[in-house]
Amino acid sequence: MPKSVLIVGCGVFGLSTALELLEQGYTVTAIDRYKPPSPWSAACDYNKIIRAEYTDLKYSRLAIEAMQGWRHHPLFKPVYNECGRLMITPSYHTGRQKFEALGIRNLHFLGEGKKIEYFHGGFDVASHFKHFRENHIQSNENSKFNPESGLGHAGDSLKVLYERCKELGCEFVFGEDGEAKELKIVEGRTCVVTKSGLVFKADQVLVAMGANSGKLVDLNHQQSATGLFVTHIKLTPEEHEFYKDLPILFDAEMGYFFPPDPRTRILKVALPGSGASNNVINPHDTSDILSLPRFHNLNPTDTMPKSFVKKAKLLLAKYVPNLSYHELFDSKVCWIADTQDSDFIIDKVPGFNGLYVATGDSGHAYKFLPIIGKYIVQRLDGSLSREWSKAWRWKNVSGEFDPTQCEWRVVDDFPDLSSIDWALENSKSKL
Ligand SMILES: Cc1cc2nc3c(=O)[nH]c(=O)nc-3n(C[C@H](O)[C@H](O)[C@H](O)COP(=O)(O)OP(=O)(O)OC[C@H]3O[C@@H](n4cnc5c(N)ncnc54)[C@H](O)[C@@H]3O)c2cc1C
């Protein structure tokens, strides 16, 4: 058993792994540019969806296992809210329809999803949910409600995990001392050099820098950074009282929104069908391009495309018209690491001694926070099952892949950041 592990990146994969390693008695150092929740983490957010519908049975199983953690683990239970999720999918989008139907079939196969309800048209939805009583859902639009889904208070969950790891003796390093810049081989061992020039070494090094992992490790086009846009509105105390028990409303075409955050009354709106790339010169091959994140905290005018302001308003106007008058604020682009098959990459890096990656989240890894570390440690100690080793292996991708071709994504536009006409925000942050 190696004595020491260095984790680079304290997001979902990094912190979950740190906890598992510490509980197993390893010595762990974890570095990041920022203290959790880092503004560079895809999970630095009010909330994320926790659901178990997957088209791939092994991920359904994994999500069901993770949900046990959300419901019962003392660390995660306080940062979980099983508010349910209402899903509406355009009938013309057969790919997404199939994706959702198969997800539910898999749940049933595993003995779950028994409480899912189906609604037909807007009246049916209005009669079940007071929050949507003014909705403009068409009479031919069908929807389904799974009460056994919920949300994780995303930023808060990273915080509690970080505090627990600190209690268990993890050495954390942040700032320029923790910002990984390059890999260096010293006496045959893989070391990480940070922006301030510090050199970190350990028996094993795990790079878990999310969409930014490709900056440090040449991932051979296995992943591509995709920017997703979120925006917010702030409810009045009266509106909060009325909408506080809202289920997550997930419209596969128009976007989705969450119940208001209980502390701030802020309601997050996500525009998921679309995304964006940020194509830059590949740091590992200057004749090549690669999409890497351009982080909002360093580029505050990266809000959302002007055209998305209307999209966000239309989403609210369709389901909760009484809230659509609100000003949108704190709009930002957040980065996920797409892979061709939406499988994560959890494997040893070929050609390096003791170097591993846990990345390629493909926009669906947050829900696994309570358990993914167990599987990553299994990869580090060589005990990961054959099934997961195969799914999460280092793959040879020929050429570039196109994230818009993922079957589950309802795409209308996928611009590069360089061509976006950004929405101007004229009010100060309400966060
Ligand atoms: C808008 C949006 C909505 C989403 N919704 C959901 C959802 O509903 N359900 C769900 O399950 N998932 C969702 N996700 C995906 C989920 O957030 C990600 O899958 C998850 O956060 C990925 O975890 P990670 O550890 O790979 O990366 P991250 O959480 O992004 O963490 C990466 C860490 O690496 C650090 N880092 C980066 N560069 C460096 C460097 N050079 N040196 C040191 N540290 C560095 C960062 O600071 C960060 O802390 C969503 C993502 C987005 C963007």
Side-chain angles (χ1 to χ4, degrees):
M1 177 170 133
K3 290 191 189 72
S4 61
V5 178
L6 170 69
I7 296 175
V8 186
C10 299
V12 171
F13 285 160
L15 285 176
S16 186
T17 307
L19 180 67
E20 182 68 24
L21 287 168
L22 292 158
E23 285 179 345
Q24 290 193 26
Y26 287 76
T27 302
V28 183
T29 303
I31 67 174
D32 199 301
R33 178 65 185 88
Y34 301 96
K35 190 170 139 181
S38 161
W40 290 2
S41 165
C44 182
D45 209 345
Y46 288 105
N47 34 44
K48 300 283 184 205
I49 301 169
I50 314 289
R51 45 104 186 162
E53 293 94 335
Y54 266 97
T55 50
D56 185 332
L57 200 59
K58 60 182 179 300
Y59 280 101
S60 310
R61 262 196 213 103
L62 197 69
I64 290 165
E65 183 190 341
M67 288 189 73
Q68 292 308 312
W70 287 109
R71 287 179 181 136
H72 305 297
H73 191 292
L75 264 188
F76 299 107
K77 199 174 161 187
V79 285
Y80 176 62
N81 171 8
E82 197 152 305
C83 56
R85 182 168 75 123
L86 182 67
M87 286 168 276
I88 292 105
T89 308
S91 50
Y92 69 81
H93 200 286
T94 46
R96 181 79 203 189
Q97 288 279 2
K98 270 195 213 151
F99 175 83
E100 287 183 3
L102 184 53
I104 292 175
R105 207 181 321 146
N106 279 344
L107 276 190
H108 290 157
F109 180 78
L110 295 169
E112 300 277 332
K114 292 184 183 136
K115 296 184 182 163
I116 295 175
E117 291 177 75
Y118 295 84
F119 304 121
H120 307 286
F123 284 123
D124 211 2
V125 170
S127 64
H128 282 84
F129 301 96
K130 65 169 187 181
H131 322 95
F132 303 127
R133 67 185 178 199
E134 312 285 345
N135 79 69
H136 295 294
I137 301 171
Q138 301 299 303
S139 54
N140 61 353
E141 281 185 291
N142 296 331
S143 54
K144 37 204 172 285
F145 176 64
N146 187 350
E148 293 174 309
S149 308
L151 64 85
H153 294 283
D156 287 349
S157 61
L158 292 184
K159 235 187 270 175
V160 296
L161 197 47
Y162 160 63
E163 294 296 342
R164 180 68 188 136
C165 290
K166 243 187 356 184
E167 274 170 21
L168 292 174
C170 184
E171 190 195 340
F172 283 102
V173 180
F174 302 122
E176 293 195 352
D177 284 350
E179 180 178 344
K181 283 305 262 188
E182 59 176 328
L183 298 171
K184 191 173 172 182
I185 311 296
V186 182
E187 291 162 0
R189 277 166 73 176
T190 309
C191 303
V192 175
V193 185
T194 63
K195 191 169 183 187
S196 64
L198 289 184
V199 179
F200 287 87
K201 58 183 173 192
D203 295 325
Q204 289 179 313
V205 176
L206 177 75
V207 174
M209 286 163 37
N212 212 22
S213 299
K215 205 166 178 185
L216 188 68
V217 180
D218 184 357
L219 293 167
N220 280 328
H221 288 286
Q222 289 177 96
Q223 78 172 40
S224 180
T226 295
L228 301 176
F229 300 97
V230 300
T231 188
H232 306 88
I233 60 172
K234 180 155 178 153
L235 307 197
T236 64
E238 296 72 31
E239 287 168 345
H240 179 261
E241 193 48 38
F242 185 76
Y243 287 103
K244 66 181 182 203
D245 301 321
L246 195 71
I248 296 163
L249 184 293
F250 190 96
D251 181 313
E253 186 180 33
M254 299 179 77
Y256 56 99
F257 57 87
F258 291 79
D261 176 64
R263 257 203 316 256
T264 58
R265 305 195 308 272
I266 287 172
L267 182 148
K268 182 182 103 177
V269 180
L271 298 152
S274 311
S277 56
N278 179 44
N279 288 319
V280 293
I281 291 172
N282 186 341
H284 308 284
D285 175 0
T286 51
S287 64
D288 188 21
I289 57 160
L290 182 66
S291 179
L292 285 173
R294 186 165 92 183
F295 293 115
H296 176 73
N297 68 323
L298 305 180
N299 300 275
T301 51
D302 290 359
T303 52
M304 63 174 159
K306 265 188 189 148
S307 58
F308 282 25
V309 175
K310 190 171 164 202
K311 290 184 183 184
K313 290 275 183 176
L314 283 173
L315 172 71
L316 294 172
K318 179 170 178 183
Y319 297 104
V320 283
N322 296 339
L323 298 181
S324 61
Y325 76 93
H326 277 288
E327 185 184 5
L328 305 173
F329 70 98
D330 264 342
S331 311
K332 57 176 181 174
V333 52
C334 314
W335 295 94
I336 58 167
D338 269 323
T339 65
Q340 195 152 29
D341 47 17
S342 299
D343 277 326
F344 312 144
I345 313 165
I346 300 174
D347 206 352
K348 190 168 182 310
V349 180
F352 286 85
N353 204 358
L355 180 66
Y356 294 78
V357 286
T359 188
D361 69 277
S362 302
H364 68 108
Y366 173 75
K367 68 182 68 61
F368 302 114
L369 183 68
I371 57 156
I372 194 67
K374 180 179 86 181
Y375 291 88
I376 296 171
V377 174
Q378 286 174 0
R379 181 60 195 91
L380 295 179
D381 71 19
S383 66
L384 186 64
S385 71
R386 193 181 285 197
E387 182 180 50
W388 284 123
S389 299
K390 187 170 174 225
W392 295 336
R393 73 191 185 282
W394 184 277
K395 290 167 192 155
N396 292 319
V397 176
S398 54
E400 285 179 49
F401 77 90
D402 178 1
T404 63
Q405 294 309 307
C406 300
E407 57 161 11
W408 51 269
R409 189 172 258 141
V410 180
V411 178
D412 52 0
D413 193 15
F414 203 89
D416 189 77
L417 253 49
S418 57
S419 69
I420 291 178
D421 188 10
W422 297 101
L424 293 178
E425 301 226 321
N426 50 18
S427 69
K428 283 216 175 115
S429 162
K430 294 186 176 62
L431 297 178

